[in-house]
Amino acid sequence: MKTLQFRQAIAEAMSEEMRNDESIYLMGEEVAEYNGAYKASKGMLDEFGPERVIDTPISELGFSGIGVGSTLVGNRPIIEFMTFNFALVGIDQIISNAAKIRQMSGGQFNCPIVFRGPTGSAGQLGATHSQAFESWFANCPGLKVVVPSNPADAKGLLKSSIRDNDPVIFMESEQMYGDKGEVPEGEYTIPLGVADIRREGTDVTIVSFGKIIKEADKAADELAKEGISCEIIDLRTVKPMDYEAILNSVKKTNRLVILEEAWPFGNVATEITFHVQKNAFDYLDAPIQKINTADTPAPYSPVLLAEWLPNHEDVINAVKKVLYK
């Protein structure tokens, strides 16, 4: 094992895949000369040159469309958005073209493309730069949605995403790029659609993904001091989702709390809740609790932002609620 920052794991995954396949290229704002807005492509321009690491104008619709079109002639692009908030400018290319090319061509064309960049809030960035769209993209047939929470998963999942023959939405976090973690030496991948049981427990299941899962870790540590054993499942992939891992855990613990940084209406937690009540209702000893942001745009005020975001105290309260404590 070696220790890498999250941004280094992302760069390693892209570089390793680009060395093995000349049809792969990286394109986006500041990915080349500036080494990436978050230094997640550091050194790649020097190694692969300007034809495969391509700086673009501030034109998400334009370079998203170029990327999608290039898949039709044999390329496998990685499109970086400085933030997925800006992906809304290019979302027509993602939803109307990338997600539908395979079906609309009668299977004649695949669209092997990765759209990657940070999602969710990252401090005081205001309402328009603090949005989480995992459930939006997961709602669209034809797209896969990946949200890693640590450097090792980021590298393994990104390599699998790049190799996938369908479009993948790969969502990171500005607040995770500096996170350090152990990453396996040598070649490895992590399959899409397989969750990680990052902490085993017996009293309650906590399901989460992305950077907000750290709040579940903090809560589990505090609850352990009170003799409460939490099992934490990191989805890693929102779509396809590992329902089996969730159901098996709920059948063991009989209680479920879902933690997600997203608006509360119609989100990933809602979908999980439906599947669990449909397939494991008789195993539940308490109603499912889901923890989300407030149902408002993200505030700029640090005091209000702290109230808006879910935190470990919210998780502790939800766990105690399902345990009737």
Side-chain angles (χ1 to χ4, degrees):
M1 304 288 279
K2 58 186 176 183
T3 300
L4 291 180
Q5 288 185 325
F6 194 101
R7 59 168 59 90
Q8 293 172 311
I10 293 292
E12 272 201 4
M14 294 190 293
S15 296
E16 288 176 8
E17 294 304 301
M18 288 174 68
R19 291 180 196 122
N20 293 330
D21 187 343
E22 292 188 356
S23 69
I24 301 169
Y25 68 90
L26 172 65
M27 181 165 60
E29 296 157 4
E30 298 185 350
V31 299
E33 296 289 346
Y34 194 66
N35 286 309
Y38 313 104
K39 301 299 181 275
S41 53
K42 187 175 182 179
M44 291 180 65
L45 175 62
D46 293 337
E47 179 174 356
F48 299 106
E51 291 187 354
R52 295 184 67 197
V53 181
I54 305 167
D55 276 333
T56 68
I58 302 174
S59 179
E60 286 80 9
L61 177 62
F63 64 75
S64 296
I66 290 170
V68 172
S70 75
T71 68
L72 303 181
V73 291
N75 292 295
R76 307 180 72 90
I78 305 166
I79 304 299
E80 178 179 312
F81 296 119
M82 197 174 292
T83 157
F84 265 97
N85 298 284
F86 304 154
L88 298 187
V89 182
I91 199 168
D92 182 55
Q93 290 294 336
I94 300 171
I95 301 298
S96 299
N97 290 330
K100 296 176 174 61
I101 282 173
R102 180 192 286 270
Q103 185 195 54
M104 294 182 70
S105 69
Q108 295 179 82
F109 292 103
N110 298 327
C111 187
I113 186 170
V114 175
F115 297 97
R116 51 159 294 269
T119 182
S121 65
Q124 290 178 262
L125 298 180
T128 59
H129 288 194
S130 304
Q131 304 170 105
F133 297 120
E134 291 89 338
S135 61
W136 285 30
F137 290 113
N139 182 254
C140 179
L143 297 178
K144 299 177 181 178
V145 181
V146 181
V147 194
S149 66
N150 59 75
D153 284 0
K155 181 177 179 181
L157 290 166
L158 183 53
K159 287 170 71 70
S160 292
S161 299
I162 293 169
R163 296 180 189 184
D164 202 282
N165 285 325
D166 290 312
V168 178
I169 307 296
F170 194 92
M171 309 181 94
E172 303 155 14
S173 169
E174 288 137 297
Q175 292 182 322
M176 287 198 299
Y177 285 119
D179 288 359
K180 293 182 179 180
E182 288 192 337
V183 175
E185 296 273 7
E187 172 66 23
Y188 77 98
T189 60
I190 296 173
L192 306 188
V194 179
D196 177 38
I197 301 176
R198 61 191 276 153
R199 181 181 185 128
E200 293 193 357
T202 57
D203 295 328
V204 60
T205 298
I206 303 173
V207 176
S208 190
F209 58 90
K211 81 170 191 293
I212 201 69
I213 202 170
K214 296 176 184 178
E215 299 301 315
D217 293 332
K218 293 177 189 176
D221 289 340
E222 290 296 316
L223 289 164
K225 298 174 185 177
E226 301 180 35
I228 298 172
S229 174
C230 300
E231 181 148 296
I232 300 178
I233 295 179
D234 185 348
L235 288 180
R236 299 199 293 201
T237 306
V238 169
K239 192 175 184 184
M241 188 180 293
D242 191 351
Y243 292 114
E244 183 178 2
I246 299 169
L247 291 170
N248 287 341
S249 180
V250 169
K251 289 176 181 179
K252 178 176 69 172
T253 67
N254 310 117
R255 294 169 175 85
L256 176 61
V257 172
I258 310 164
L259 171 64
E260 177 188 7
E261 183 184 337
W263 295 308
F265 188 90
N267 52 33
V268 175
T270 306
E271 182 70 9
I272 295 170
T273 300
F274 167 76
H275 277 271
V276 172
Q277 67 82 29
K278 178 185 177 185
N279 298 298
F281 182 82
D282 290 340
Y283 290 88
L284 289 170
D285 288 341
I288 297 166
Q289 295 293 314
K290 69 188 192 83
I291 307 165
N292 300 119
T293 68
D295 195 12
T296 70
Y300 176 76
S301 158
V303 176
L304 292 176
L305 183 63
E307 288 296 314
W308 182 82
L309 273 171
N311 58 49
H312 72 283
E313 292 180 355
D314 296 326
V315 179
I316 290 171
N317 291 335
V319 168
K320 289 185 176 181
K321 190 170 184 177
V322 299
L323 289 167
Y324 302 108
K325 292 189 175 183

